[in-house]
Amino acid sequence: IKEEGRNEYQIFRHSLKEGVKEQLQLEAELHKAMQNHDFDLFFQPQYDLKTNRIIGFEALCRWFHDEMGVIPPDQFIPLAEKTGLIIELGEWVIYEACLQNKKWQDEGLPKVKVSVNLSAKQFLQRGLVNRVSQILYETVLEAQYLEIEITESMAMSNEYHIIETLNRFSELGVQVALDDFGTGYSSLQYLSQFPLNKIKIDRMFIQNQSEQNIAIVKSIIHLSHALNLKVIAEGVETEDNLEFLLNEQCDEVQGFYFSKPVAAQRVKDFVDF
Ligand code: C2E
Ligand code: CA
Ligand code: CA
Ligand code: CA
């Protein structure tokens, strides 16, 4: 038994070491990727359920690696957060999203919003609002066509600073959506205190239509409307999902049922757009 225990320990230590090595490698690769401009943005349309029109696109970051191919954000965003590289990457994402949106407008496409995801570290960084304001100026994009998505988890950290930052975004005219709603430590107090424009129901509640989740979605929609907030549901994959959300007077939808995230040059292919 002792022998076995030691082996297990050694196996564990071995895999731990391997894991650390992999992380360090990935971290070095991430720095290289930043310098080589190996990142790109994909865009997923968001639809208004009343008008059936596209009202925005969510910008989602992709890493194109020479050997490993496309690395999904779930694999490098947390690492970028940990290493602080998220500040540089995140700023690039905002700049690129604004620039792209302005390009579409210049090409004569209907004006819509572009939404960018902000990580906690990025949101709490000093000077963020000034930097965003500068980006809007440099890309000549009107503030109303930019939306930021923040998550509940960051809403918990430093309440005063967050309200202050959100107020400044709102003065600037930038829209604010609360992402992944329902998965964090939701507090009703935050919902009414934060200057938000929109609540994004997490896709987990849409995709697993258990009796409980149905009840949760219904109450998130009612609550949001009572607080004068718009509601968007993400992860809409089926006609059933859509019908349910239409019935419940959800405002907007996004998901594979309509489109996967696509490259910027494919955005003009959307028919009713
Ligand atoms: P998120 O913000 O919740 O983004 C939605 C994710 O759900 C995207 O995954 C999208 O491709 C996926 N999705 C959309 N519709 C459906 C659907 O109908 N079914 C399913 N199963 N999935 C759907 P993606 O692009 O892999 O991004 C994952 C997460 O990585 C994002 O989750 C976001 O938290 C983070 N992320 C992506 N880009 C950025 C970025 O530029 N900055 C930061 N800070 N985070 C980012
Ligand atoms: Ca998001
Ligand atoms: Ca989300
Ligand atoms: Ca998420």
Side-chain angles (χ1 to χ4, degrees):
I1 290 167
K2 228 181 186 173
E3 215 24 54
E4 259 172 37
R6 198 161 70 202
N7 280 340
E8 261 169 42
Y9 170 69
Q10 276 169 348
I11 289 164
F12 172 69
R13 200 173 60 171
H14 173 74
S15 62
L16 191 69
K17 228 165 85 187
E18 284 296 295
V20 169
K21 216 172 103 192
E22 266 170 34
Q23 284 289 298
L24 286 174
Q25 261 166 13
L26 200 61
E27 197 182 316
E29 295 279 325
L30 201 58
H31 277 281
K32 249 200 303 183
M34 201 66 240
Q35 278 153 11
N36 297 346
H37 308 284
D38 289 340
F39 297 104
D40 206 355
L41 294 182
F42 269 41
F43 298 90
Q44 189 179 34
Q46 303 175 320
Y47 291 82
D48 183 311
L49 284 178
K50 281 211 183 76
T51 62
N52 282 322
R53 298 207 145 251
I54 292 177
I55 37 93
F57 287 89
E58 180 175 14
L60 295 154
C61 195
R62 299 287 179 267
W63 175 5
F64 295 91
H65 191 279
D66 285 346
E67 286 129 45
M68 293 188 274
V70 185
I71 305 174
D74 284 335
Q75 275 174 43
F76 64 87
I77 295 288
L79 186 63
E81 269 257 312
K82 220 177 70 190
T83 59
L85 205 70
I86 192 70
I87 302 293
E88 197 183 339
L89 177 61
E91 195 172 305
W92 176 84
V93 168
I94 301 170
Y95 188 90
E96 200 58 27
C98 290
L99 192 69
Q100 189 52 252
N101 199 11
K102 177 66 182 167
K103 255 190 224 162
W104 290 325
Q105 294 186 356
D106 289 347
E107 286 168 15
L109 297 178
K111 292 186 176 186
V112 294
K113 268 178 307 183
V114 68
S115 312
V116 295
N117 293 282
L118 295 194
S119 80
K121 198 176 253 174
Q122 194 185 0
F123 187 78
L124 297 171
Q125 125 199 222
R126 290 175 64 99
L128 173 72
V129 186
N130 286 339
R131 187 59 198 123
V132 170
S133 157
Q134 195 184 351
I135 288 174
L136 289 168
Y137 179 79
E138 285 169 18
T139 59
V140 204
L141 183 75
E142 290 163 85
Q144 58 175 309
Y145 297 116
L146 173 65
E147 179 173 73
I148 54 168
E149 296 192 3
I150 61 169
T151 58
E152 280 177 283
S153 51
M154 79 178 74
M156 295 300 293
S157 47
N158 180 345
E159 201 184 326
Y160 175 77
H161 178 71
I162 286 157
I163 294 179
E164 178 85 1
T165 305
L166 289 178
N167 276 328
R168 292 187 54 213
F169 269 121
S170 139
E171 278 160 23
L172 195 63
V174 169
Q175 307 282 303
V176 181
L178 190 58
D179 202 2
D180 300 342
F181 189 75
T183 59
Y185 307 86
S186 345
S187 157
L188 299 184
Q189 208 189 341
Y190 292 127
L191 266 194
S192 55
Q193 272 181 3
F194 288 175
L196 302 166
N197 303 95
K198 205 197 278 185
I199 297 295
K200 233 177 157 174
I201 307 175
D202 193 78
R203 68 167 188 255
M204 165 183 110
F205 300 108
I206 308 300
Q207 281 165 5
N208 172 12
Q209 294 266 299
S210 64
E211 223 171 282
Q212 210 175 17
N213 282 349
I214 287 173
I216 289 170
V217 171
K218 284 184 182 186
S219 48
I220 293 177
I221 293 173
H222 287 157
L223 175 68
S224 303
H225 286 166
L227 294 171
N228 253 326
L229 299 167
K230 290 245 179 212
V231 199
I232 182 166
E234 63 180 354
V236 177
E237 289 186 355
T238 65
E239 185 139 21
D240 276 359
N241 293 160
L242 176 61
E243 227 142 76
F244 164 63
L245 292 161
L246 269 168
N247 268 331
E248 297 308 323
Q249 325 273 311
C250 188
D251 303 296
E252 298 165 12
V253 283
Q254 174 184 353
F256 293 169
Y257 179 73
F258 302 96
S259 171
K260 289 196 168 174
V262 299
Q265 68 268 19
R266 286 199 42 211
V267 158
K268 34 183 158 335
D269 299 341
F270 287 98
V271 271
D272 66 340
F273 174 58

